[in-house]
Amino acid sequence: MADLLPLIGFVFFGLFSPGPNVILITTSGARFGFAATGPHIVGVALGVGVVAGAVGLGLGAIVTTWPVLTVGLKLVAGAWIGWMAWGLWQAKPASKQAADRPFTFLEAVMFQWVNPKIWAVSISALAYVADRDLYGQAVILALTFTSTNIFVCLFWAWAGSWLSFLTSTPNAWRMFMRAMAVGLMFFSLAVFL
């Protein structure tokens, strides 16, 4: 276990720092409350673990070896994150509609496949498990990412629920949502750097 502490620390700081998941979960906590964000939290934690495990099984090496896959991933990720940023920018406090809901479990899992930050952290984390076989890498990365990220997601959803006062008036709502949208748009553009 002690030999995994550097990996756990790296994964924690990689996932805790602001990125698309942190922004979306914090926003969801503020908009819909902690409990309603539960499926989003579990979906992110599991999805991140699945991606990290796939990277450990060799998918990371394939993506970094074939530039066309990297470009394709960047295009899809940039477009999807930009689309979500546009949705936050346009969010209206008074109009709660059926479409105005937190991510579902499946949406959160699927988003991880195009989340560039998860790919970058997962591929970088390979250095901590390089002495193990592919299956060992996959299992360690999957378990480390999922177990660490569940606590990260719980923290940010809780923090968001405490920030719900920022959405109590229409002007506060608009400013908060647009700040979150700008953060997401930054990551949409940063994908190409």
Side-chain angles (χ1 to χ4, degrees):
M1 177 67 179
D3 62 326
L4 294 179
L5 288 179
L7 171 65
I8 294 167
F10 175 79
V11 170
F12 174 78
F13 288 111
L15 300 177
F16 189 81
S17 60
N21 282 331
V22 166
I23 291 171
L24 291 172
I25 286 177
T26 304
T27 302
S28 183
R31 291 178 73 190
F32 306 110
F34 183 81
T37 305
H40 188 171
I41 293 168
V42 175
V44 168
L46 183 62
V48 164
V50 170
V51 170
V55 165
L57 280 175
L59 193 55
I62 293 170
V63 169
T64 56
T65 303
W66 291 28
V68 69
L69 291 176
T70 304
V71 171
L73 180 62
K74 286 180 178 185
L75 289 172
V76 171
W80 195 351
I81 296 169
W83 174 75
M84 289 186 295
W86 181 247
L88 286 179
W89 185 269
Q90 292 186 307
K92 293 181 174 52
S95 64
K96 292 271 185 183
Q97 302 169 357
D100 193 22
R101 57 167 177 71
F103 266 35
T104 65
F105 169 80
L106 187 57
E107 288 169 336
V109 169
M110 297 306 294
F111 174 66
Q112 304 321 304
W113 287 98
V114 295
N115 185 338
K117 183 177 177 191
I118 298 311
W119 282 93
V121 175
S122 297
I123 290 170
S124 297
L126 280 172
Y128 292 94
V129 293
D131 60 334
R132 292 175 167 85
D133 62 48
L134 287 181
Y135 295 110
Q137 289 179 5
V139 169
I140 290 170
L141 289 178
L143 291 176
T144 302
F145 272 73
T146 296
S147 60
T148 303
N149 205 31
I150 194 74
F151 294 107
V152 169
C153 292
L154 288 169
F155 172 82
W156 286 112
W158 175 79
S161 68
W162 277 90
L163 293 174
S164 63
F165 71 90
L166 294 175
T167 62
S168 61
T169 67
N171 283 338
W173 170 280
R174 192 172 299 104
M175 288 173 35
F176 179 71
M177 290 301 135
R178 291 192 171 172
M180 296 292 106
V182 167
L184 270 183
M185 186 51 76
F186 168 77
F187 285 106
S188 175
L189 298 173
V191 164
F192 300 101
L193 299 177

